[in-house]
Amino acid sequence: METWTDLTHRAERRFGVVTRDELLAAGLADRTIGAWTAGGRLVPLARGVYRLAGVPPSFAAEVMAAILVFPGDTWAARHSAARVLGAPMWSSERRIELVRPVELSAQRSIARVHRSTCLPPHHLTTVDGIPLTTASRTAFDLARTTGALRLGRFVDWAIIEGLATMGSLYQVLYDLGGRGRPGTRRMREVLDARGLDHVPPASELEAVGMALLDGLGFTWQVELSDERGYIRRVDGCHRPGRLVVELDGKYHDGEAQRALDRAGDRRIEAMGYDVERLRWVDVTRDGEATRARIAARLRAAVA
């Protein structure tokens, strides 16, 4: 028989969530569970699932409760998986979303339950004890209801955070694409626009700057070295035009960072490049003038 200590230790790992069956196994009678619920010692979250009073409510607890409603294989999915992963993307979907194998029940619950015929192990993971789809599988599942711009931002975020690679994203596409699944075309377009060697922008400023200068022939996120060794990774490099572009956010305002930037710039200039530093105003309010100026500079350099 499970002890109350065993149960509370498990609840600590599950954001305070326990099931009715676990409470009964720990020795509580039905009437005790009812009394504790009425008295506030147990907070109902779903059918037969509770949060221990004193444990703060959280989205993670809601997801765990929704999963524990179901016996067998169940994972957080789509917008819920993206939120558990920590993706900075807003969604109007407030209901918990889960996925289960197609042969298992999708009975009505507090969650929206999707069923899939393809849930291989490399599409699944666990974060903080919560079973969920990987970032790569989550991206594919989001593609059916998410626009290309937002989907692309999720893809870039997952790569930057080390949760996905272009290879893993294409692997999920190959696993699921071509089976008539909604979102296949959008996912392929987002990935093909980036390519296998894609290095995502590390900030919104970089994303806007890269879009502004798109088509001028820059290679993005290029590592430069000289005879002394490694210098740094520059935001944009136009080798024929001998121009380096850096997109500088507030991080570069500190005196120590400015000194490092200047030292690196001198080494890059010694290699025969000019260094152009752009700020937020240069790529937004003055964006058209900035693009025209850089384009003219490149034409003159390669003439």
Side-chain angles (χ1 to χ4, degrees):
M1 177 174 168
E2 184 175 57
T3 67
W4 181 254
T5 299
D6 295 332
L7 179 61
T8 55
H9 285 168
R10 184 185 301 115
E12 288 175 1
R13 299 191 298 270
R14 294 195 317 208
F15 315 99
V17 176
V18 296
T19 68
R20 186 179 192 86
D21 288 344
E22 290 168 345
L23 292 168
L24 292 172
L28 270 67
D30 276 330
R31 62 179 180 276
T32 304
I33 296 173
W36 282 19
T37 303
R41 294 184 64 179
L42 293 172
V43 180
L45 296 180
R47 186 181 67 255
V49 185
Y50 309 85
R51 175 170 48 82
L52 298 178
V55 178
S58 65
F59 178 73
E62 294 177 19
V63 173
M64 185 63 77
I67 290 172
L68 289 175
V69 166
F70 295 95
D73 297 333
T74 310
W75 298 270
R78 303 193 185 189
H79 290 95
S80 295
R83 188 169 170 183
V84 172
L85 288 167
M89 57 185 298
W90 176 87
S91 167
S92 60
E93 178 59 63
R94 309 307 300 170
R95 196 173 180 185
I96 304 298
E97 292 186 280
L98 307 176
V99 65
R100 308 194 79 210
V102 71
E103 67 271 11
L104 298 184
S105 167
Q107 59 187 305
R108 295 168 65 90
S109 73
I110 63 170
R112 185 185 304 277
V113 182
H114 308 280
R115 293 194 289 177
S116 175
T117 58
C118 184
L119 287 167
H122 61 277
H123 288 204
L124 306 169
T125 189
T126 302
V127 173
D128 293 333
I130 300 175
L132 71 157
T133 53
T134 64
S136 297
R137 173 58 186 261
T138 299
F140 184 93
D141 290 341
L142 289 174
R144 68 187 65 198
T145 58
T146 304
L149 180 60
R150 180 171 288 184
L151 180 64
R153 287 178 176 173
F154 178 81
V155 165
D156 286 346
W157 170 85
I159 294 172
I160 290 170
E161 294 297 317
L163 299 174
T165 64
M166 290 301 296
S168 70
L169 289 157
Y170 268 110
Q171 180 64 61
V172 171
L173 177 62
Y174 297 151
D175 290 340
L176 300 177
R179 301 178 181 221
R181 284 183 168 86
T184 297
R185 180 177 178 180
R186 182 172 296 149
M187 184 70 172
R188 184 178 298 279
E189 289 174 349
V190 166
L191 296 185
D192 286 351
R194 284 160 169 77
L196 279 171
D197 59 351
H198 172 63
V199 179
S203 68
E204 191 72 11
L205 172 60
E206 289 183 18
V208 174
M210 289 166 65
L212 175 69
L213 302 179
D214 184 46
L216 296 184
F218 282 95
T219 302
W220 302 105
Q221 302 299 319
V222 177
E223 295 185 345
L224 293 182
S225 300
D226 60 10
E227 69 280 357
R228 294 165 53 189
Y230 182 74
I231 303 175
R232 66 171 181 254
R233 175 182 289 177
V234 299
D235 292 328
C237 181
H238 195 289
R239 295 189 187 276
R242 308 304 288 174
L243 179 63
V244 163
V245 167
E246 295 283 32
L247 298 152
D248 289 351
K250 292 183 178 179
Y251 171 77
H252 293 268
D253 290 344
E255 182 54 42
Q257 184 58 45
R258 286 202 299 268
L260 288 173
D261 290 342
R262 288 192 296 267
D265 289 353
R266 286 192 293 269
R267 292 173 64 185
I268 292 171
E269 289 165 354
M271 295 169 62
Y273 288 92
D274 290 332
V275 179
E276 176 90 16
R277 291 191 170 273
L278 303 179
R279 303 303 295 260
W280 186 253
V281 66
D282 297 316
V283 301
T284 53
R285 189 188 68 190
D286 300 334
E288 291 185 9
T290 297
R291 179 181 170 90
R293 174 172 53 79
I294 291 178
R297 184 173 182 172
L298 293 174
R299 286 195 298 270
V302 299

